[in-house]
Amino acid sequence: MSTDTAPGTATPGTAHRKVLLLNGPNLNLLGQRDPATYGSATLADVEARTVAAGSELGLDVVCRQSNHEGALIDLVQSAPTEGFSGIVINPGAYAHYSYALRDAVDAIDIPCVEIHISNVHAREPFRHTSVTAPVMDGFICGCGIAGYVLALRALLSRLDG
Ligand code: DQA
């Protein structure tokens, strides 16, 4: 019996890998915060779309958001031992200056993909640098909330080598 599936879709009967979706500071305000820049979708909308896309890709997406640098670092550090295969992270403004978050991502041995909803390179100069990007396995920005699903696909391609 053939078990072929379309590329990028889940294989029936195989265990789903767990992926952590992390959103950093102020992303809990999506939907009300600067809609011209970030759109009208709420964080709950973003999480639901990413979970649904993950399910089609054979990934169990677990969503977390925190406004606190240390809490994000704790979640990154514990992800491998919690059984996560990879991380999709929107670090928010921490991307621009948190060497501690950068070091946490660098210290773990599972792939991480960074996503920003807005095109940070087309905005204020302080957003043009991501100190976390160099330790990531991929970087997506400026694609709106569609970027979360793109990041998930990029992570999957890393996981599948
Ligand atoms: C953001 C971009 C950051 O510069 C900003 O501080 C955010 C959101 C984005 O998703 O576009 O909080 O990460």
Side-chain angles (χ1 to χ4, degrees), residues 82-107:
E82 298 281 333
F84 289 100
S85 299
I87 300 176
V88 169
I89 182 168
N90 183 343
Y94 285 140
H96 310 310
Y97 66 93
S98 176
Y99 296 107
L101 184 58
R102 177 212 181 278
D103 284 350
V105 171
D106 197 28

Side-chain angles (χ1 to χ4, degrees), residues 23-27 30 33 37-38 90-96 114-120 123-124 126-127 141-142 148:
N23 276 288
N26 299 307
L27 291 158
L30 282 177
R33 172 193 184 199
T37 302
Y38 299 115
N90 183 343
Y94 285 140
H96 310 310
E114 178 168 334
I115 181 256
H116 296 276
I117 297 167
S118 63
N119 181 355
V120 287
R123 300 181 63 194
E124 303 95 320
F126 76 88
R127 296 186 205 274
C141 78
Y148 284 92

Side-chain angles (χ1 to χ4, degrees), residues 21-60:
L21 171 63
L22 271 182
N23 276 288
N26 299 307
L27 291 158
N28 55 313
L29 299 180
L30 282 177
Q32 44 177 297
R33 172 193 184 199
D34 191 0
T37 302
Y38 299 115
S40 55
T42 64
L43 180 61
D45 296 333
V46 166
E47 290 178 343
R49 285 174 63 146
T50 312
V51 167
S55 176
E56 286 179 16
L57 295 169
L59 302 170
D60 280 336

